[in-house]
Amino acid sequence: MDNQTNNNQLAPCPTGRKGVCKICFYGAFSLIIATCIPLLLYPKEGEQIINKLFKFVTVQMGWLYMLAAIGAFALILWFAFGPLSSKRLGDKIEYSTFSWIGMLFCAGVGAGIMFGGSIDWAYYMAYPMHGEPAGSWKAAEWGTAYGMFHWGPICWSIYAILAIPIGYSYYVKKVPILNISQACKGLLGNRVHGWPGKIIDILFMTGLVAGSATALGLGIPIVAAGVVSVTGLEHSFQLEFGILVFVTLIFSITSCLGLKKGLSKLSDLNVYIALGLMLFVFIAGPTVFLTDMAISSLGLMISEIVTMATWMDPIGNKGFTQDWTVFYYAWFVAYAPFMSLFIAKISRGRTVREVVLGPVIIASLGCGCFYLIFGNFGLYLQITGQLDAVSMVQHLKGATVIMAIADFLPFASLYKLVFSTVTAISMATTFDAVSFALAATTTTMLSPDEEPARWNRLFWAISLGIVPTGIMLIDGPLSVLQTASIVAGLPVLGIIFIGVTAFLKEYKSTGWVEAHCAPINK
């Protein structure tokens, strides 16, 4: 059978310019626009509806997210230590270990870790923690542990849960299609190439665009606060809009350059600068306190991880689990198919164990360092009475409080500029990876040695900046986008379930079967 016949069987989708699937491309873009227009025309009403849906997702469906997260962690452990652990995704390693870790870390954390790692603890102290009074130092210890937990192994398990099913199809079975629906073939059969598959991909793309808005909603205020604090400029729409344009320009350029010349290099740079920032705070700050608190927090998280993963607080009902743990779980779920696709793409040649433990262990430790250093430095100022960050976050934006904490460091102005730069680059790396995933999903055929068409990557890169721009133009809060991302993530949870079930069904019936033919060329 010739290649053209195979291609027709693999992707019976109307093909546009350079092999782009018209159904996914126009379907996802139209759904995104159709969702955003009501928000632009009726921002207040839209915000009220989204907030109601958000409450339903986090309160009424919180139990589902908690159980799903535990299931994801259990499946990752099976991947890492079960019969598939030594299997490889493909024949050759494409990226160095440092670049591989840097890309998956920068794509997954975005600006969220810069915000949360610095200030989450102050929000947490407003809640009673496991019987400890709100604002107590024991509650503060729980708060620092919860910071690492929320960006720890369980959440990164959600990120990586579909990486093996996608990588297996792409590198082992050598099916030259890089999208989420292809991972569902074991359950849906050839219907993944028809409307069921296209609906899955369109829902994934829509949820991804919405989920990406969370990074903007957290990151842009940080960069703006840094600029305002150093220069004395007014915090205005023009400033935030300029920052958005700047960040969009960065990831548009790197998106054009591709993964190896663009995202890989930018991620390496970002990791080096972030490590330098953490080392500076560790040395210039209260080193002994940071060390002692890190050991205590890490020990508390490890010893209580089962309790933290199952604590719903049904009797006290103080809302911490719903406001924070379920929020983070839902955010990671919205991102999960994208991150799994991206992890699979950059993990060519690596073993199953490496692919899942890289994010779950190494990336978790990296995220934990942000909380143990940036977060505990702020906590130290709170304990010693130098800065009441807990009260400040009740009245001021978190980004403003982060800059107030930075004032207690040497060379504060320079530190703020570097911190803001890392935040901007973190947003850019995330959106670069997102634009790649969107472009790959809309490409009918994509071999492991190829990348989606440059115009396709650039189109989605620019589109990712349009949605928040529209919200800002009507003077709407970017927090609406953060809330909407959590709501959009609910159907994505169903997609993840289908993908996992499909892979397990296929593995049970056929085992790990490698293709004995070369991948189909376009």
Side-chain angles (χ1 to χ4, degrees):
M1 184 179 293
D2 59 26
N3 287 347
Q4 184 61 44
T5 303
N6 277 332
N7 287 351
N8 290 336
Q9 287 186 351
L10 280 171
C13 174
T15 303
R17 183 182 176 187
K18 294 187 178 180
V20 171
C21 174
K22 290 182 178 180
I23 295 176
C24 289
F25 187 91
Y26 293 114
F29 186 70
S30 299
L31 185 57
I32 292 167
I33 296 299
T35 304
C36 291
I37 287 178
L39 287 176
L40 297 176
L41 296 178
Y42 308 101
K44 292 184 178 179
E45 294 82 354
E47 184 177 3
Q48 291 175 354
I49 293 173
I50 288 175
N51 285 335
K52 289 180 180 178
L53 292 173
F54 175 80
K55 185 175 181 180
F56 170 78
V57 169
T58 56
V59 177
Q60 301 301 323
M61 304 300 295
W63 61 271
L64 179 60
Y65 280 99
M66 297 291 280
L67 292 178
I70 295 171
F73 185 58
L75 181 62
I76 289 297
L77 291 178
W78 181 75
F79 279 139
F81 303 105
L84 299 181
S85 60
S86 61
K87 301 293 185 180
R88 288 191 178 272
L89 300 181
D91 51 355
K92 62 179 181 179
I93 294 179
E94 198 166 6
Y95 298 96
S96 69
T97 300
F98 183 85
S99 293
W100 177 67
I101 293 173
M103 281 193 290
L104 69 86
F105 182 79
C106 291
V109 302
I113 194 66
M114 302 298 292
F115 183 93
S118 301
I119 205 65
D120 270 1
W121 65 271
Y123 292 102
Y124 294 172
M125 284 189 69
Y127 296 85
M129 288 284 191
H130 297 274
E132 303 296 336
S136 66
W137 302 131
K138 187 64 178 178
E141 291 180 358
W142 274 106
T144 56
Y146 260 106
M148 291 187 294
F149 172 78
H150 287 152
W151 286 87
I154 292 181
C155 277
W156 278 94
S157 295
I158 298 173
Y159 264 175
I161 191 170
L162 288 178
I164 302 306
I166 295 172
Y168 172 71
S169 172
Y170 196 55
Y171 289 120
V172 180
K173 295 175 64 178
K174 299 184 178 180
V175 178
I177 302 175
L178 186 60
N179 59 31
I180 301 303
S181 62
Q182 190 61 38
C184 303
K185 188 172 183 178
L187 193 64
L188 299 180
N190 287 329
R191 286 177 293 175
V192 299
H193 305 306
W195 278 106
K198 301 301 179 259
I199 291 174
I200 288 174
D201 289 331
I202 290 172
L203 288 176
F204 150 69
M205 294 173 69
T206 306
L208 176 55
V209 172
S212 302
T214 304
L216 281 176
L218 294 173
I220 288 179
I222 292 178
V223 181
V227 174
V228 168
S229 180
V230 173
T231 65
L233 293 174
E234 182 183 356
H235 195 142
S236 61
F237 162 78
Q238 289 80 6
L239 177 61
E240 290 199 347
F241 180 73
I243 293 169
L244 176 60
V245 171
F246 175 69
V247 172
T248 303
L249 180 63
I250 293 176
F251 69 74
S252 295
I253 293 173
T254 54
S255 181
C256 283
L257 293 174
L259 293 183
K260 291 183 179 180
K261 295 181 180 179
L263 180 58
S264 175
K265 304 300 182 184
L266 190 63
S267 297
D268 289 350
L269 173 65
N270 204 34
V271 169
Y272 282 125
I273 300 176
L275 288 174
L277 270 181
M278 286 190 286
L279 183 62
F280 172 75
V281 175
F282 182 74
I283 295 175
T287 305
V288 174
F289 174 82
L290 295 179
T291 302
D292 292 346
M293 197 66 191
I295 295 173
S296 298
S297 302
L298 188 61
L300 181 61
M301 189 203 74
I302 293 174
S303 64
E304 299 289 347
I305 191 170
V306 175
T307 298
M308 298 164 82
T310 55
W311 188 53
M312 298 295 294
D313 194 23
I315 297 177
N317 197 27
K318 299 301 182 181
F320 176 80
T321 298
Q322 291 72 25
D323 291 346
W324 290 99
T325 304
V326 175
F327 169 81
Y328 271 119
Y329 282 176
W331 181 15
F332 275 63
V333 164
Y335 260 82
F338 143 67
M339 274 304 295
S340 291
L341 184 150
F342 186 72
I343 291 171
K345 172 60 180 175
I346 65 175
S347 298
R348 183 179 185 179
R350 298 190 179 275
T351 65
V352 169
R353 179 174 294 162
E354 287 178 296
V355 173
V356 296
L357 291 188
V360 170
I361 294 181
I362 300 177
S364 294
L365 288 174
C367 290
C369 287
F370 282 80
Y371 282 89
L372 295 175
I373 296 178
F374 294 140
N376 285 338
F377 175 70
L379 179 61
Y380 174 80
L381 298 178
Q382 180 78 30
I383 292 173
T384 56
Q386 299 179 64
L387 184 72
D388 190 358
V390 175
S391 297
M392 291 177 69
V393 296
Q394 306 301 320
H395 309 289
L396 300 173
K397 290 184 177 181
T400 302
V401 182
I402 290 174
M403 294 305 153
I405 291 173
D407 283 329
F408 290 85
L409 288 167
F411 311 106
S413 295
L414 178 59
Y415 173 84
K416 292 175 185 178
L417 289 177
V418 177
F419 191 93
S420 300
T421 300
V422 172
T423 303
I425 296 176
S426 296
M427 287 190 287
T429 53
T430 297
F431 277 70
D432 190 351
V434 169
S435 64
F436 175 89
L438 293 169
T441 301
T442 58
T443 303
T444 54
M445 292 289 179
L446 191 70
S447 73
D449 295 316
E450 293 179 313
E451 292 190 11
R454 182 175 296 172
W455 73 266
N456 195 1
R457 303 196 305 267
L458 185 59
F459 171 84
W460 289 109
I462 295 174
S463 298
L464 288 169
I466 292 177
V467 176
T469 300
I471 296 293
M472 292 168 66
L473 283 172
I474 62 171
D475 197 27
L478 287 175
S479 59
V480 173
L481 295 178
Q482 296 174 244
T483 308
S485 70
I486 304 307
V487 175
L490 185 58
V492 176
L493 189 60
I495 295 175
I496 295 173
F497 177 78
I498 293 173
V500 169
T501 304
F503 175 77
L504 294 178
K505 180 186 178 198
E506 183 174 4
Y507 173 72
K508 183 178 180 180
S509 60
T510 63
W512 187 275
V513 180
E514 299 190 21
H516 296 289
C517 57
I520 300 171
N521 296 318
K522 289 173 63 177

